[in-house]
Amino acid sequence: MTALRTARDVYPKGTPGAICIAHNRLVKAIEMAMALFVEFGEQATPAMIERLTDADFGRAARTAGVHPPNSDDTRDQVRLLLKVFVAMGTTDGPPEAEVLTALLSGARRTGDRNVLALLVPVN
């Protein structure tokens, strides 16, 4: 089971499904990227990350206690987050790592509804 809170735990009943799906996808991607980072550490290169296989994703999902990704969107999000985790604290990471590091460093309040959101751009 994931240590991060799922959409069911965060949003009120009646929240649009697309928001809940995006939230849960992000939780899964973060958990899996961390599992892959623990496995490969700073030895992971951008080229190696792009070559991750379904077996790699499946192993990371088991380690993280989540279901394996069933979409390219989730796999791409895992790859991007893993690149950021590897790049944090280095000077040779992907150019978007600095921006993503800043975005991942804290949640933001949105509007007057007092909703807490973690902003993560996905290409």
Side-chain angles (χ1 to χ4, degrees), residues 4 15 17 22 25 27 31 42-43 48 57 66 68 89 99 105 110-111:
L4 298 174
T15 299
R25 177 179 288 147
V27 167
E31 293 282 357
E42 293 178 2
Q43 303 305 313
M48 187 277 304
F57 287 116
V66 298
V99 173
S105 66
T110 58

Side-chain angles (χ1 to χ4, degrees), residues 56-75:
D56 295 321
F57 287 116
R59 190 173 57 255
R62 281 190 301 280
T63 300
V66 298
H67 293 291
N70 58 8
S71 72
D72 287 336
D73 289 341
T74 304
R75 287 184 281 277

Side-chain angles (χ1 to χ4, degrees), residues 1 10 13 39 56 65-67 77:
M1 174 173 288
V10 174
K13 189 172 184 172
E39 180 178 349
D56 295 321
V66 298
H67 293 291
Q77 208 168 30

Side-chain angles (χ1 to χ4, degrees), residues 46 80 83-84 87 90-102 121 123:
L80 179 60
K83 287 177 187 176
V84 171
T90 69
T91 58
D92 59 349
E96 67 270 18
E98 185 176 326
V99 173
L100 289 173
T101 300
N123 294 346

Side-chain angles (χ1 to χ4, degrees), residues 35-51:
L36 288 165
F37 181 73
V38 168
E39 180 178 349
F40 296 112
E42 293 178 2
Q43 303 305 313
T45 64
M48 187 277 304
I49 292 169
E50 289 302 320
R51 290 191 307 268

Side-chain angles (χ1 to χ4, degrees), residues 11 16 18 28 34-35 37 42 46 54 58 66 74 90 99 107 111-113 115 118 122-123:
Y11 301 105
K28 179 187 288 192
M34 285 306 302
F37 181 73
E42 293 178 2
D54 285 341
V66 298
T74 304
T90 69
V99 173
D112 60 350
R113 296 182 326 167
V115 174
L118 179 63
V122 178
N123 294 346

